[in-house]
Amino acid sequence: MFSGKYKIVIIYHFSRDGKMRFSQIQQLLDNATHKVLSQQLNELVEDGLVTHHETLIKNRKAVFYSLISNGENLMTIIELMFKWGTNRLATLNVDYEPKI
């Protein structure tokens, strides 16, 4: 479920920023290709963590993605993993500045 390189980061941004369009997510993850990002978003939808809904804006279809409750419940775990990782890097004397 978390095998994708960007999935946890995507979940983090949805929890912080709310619903977003594909292009907004892609701007946050500038190294992610369109194909990889699309695949990982689809997997998050299939896994029941993210939802996508379509709406019309000026007669054009717009797709928005957002977290659903299963995804929101993961934030506690993600925050604990971040704290653990930060502490681990400190014990290894690694200077690290998070990019999130």
Side-chain angles (χ1 to χ4, degrees):
M1 191 176 285
F2 302 110
S3 62
K5 181 177 181 179
Y6 301 103
K7 288 181 181 178
I8 291 177
V9 177
I10 291 168
I11 291 169
Y12 168 81
H13 282 293
F14 283 144
S15 74
R16 188 183 75 184
D17 302 327
K19 70 179 182 177
M20 289 188 279
R21 295 180 70 170
F22 184 92
S23 60
Q24 293 172 298
I25 303 164
Q26 196 168 33
Q27 287 175 350
L28 294 170
L29 307 172
D30 56 350
N31 292 330
T33 64
H34 186 278
K35 178 182 175 183
V36 168
L37 182 56
S38 178
Q39 180 181 16
Q40 292 193 9
L41 283 168
N42 287 334
E43 289 173 7
L44 288 169
V45 170
E46 289 173 10
D47 291 335
L49 303 173
V50 170
T51 186
H52 79 281
H53 57 280
E54 298 175 5
T55 186
L56 288 176
I57 298 177
K58 296 182 182 178
N59 294 329
R60 297 184 77 198
K61 181 175 76 169
V63 178
F64 288 91
Y65 294 88
S66 61
L67 278 182
I68 57 178
S69 61
N70 283 337
E72 291 170 356
N73 293 337
L74 283 173
M75 280 312 298
T76 302
I77 297 167
I78 291 171
E79 289 168 356
L80 288 171
M81 288 176 18
F82 179 79
K83 287 179 184 177
W84 179 88
T86 302
N87 291 336
R88 178 72 176 139
L89 290 173
T91 62
L92 297 173
N93 293 322
V94 175
D95 189 26
Y96 174 73
E97 183 68 32
K99 296 179 182 179
I100 297 177

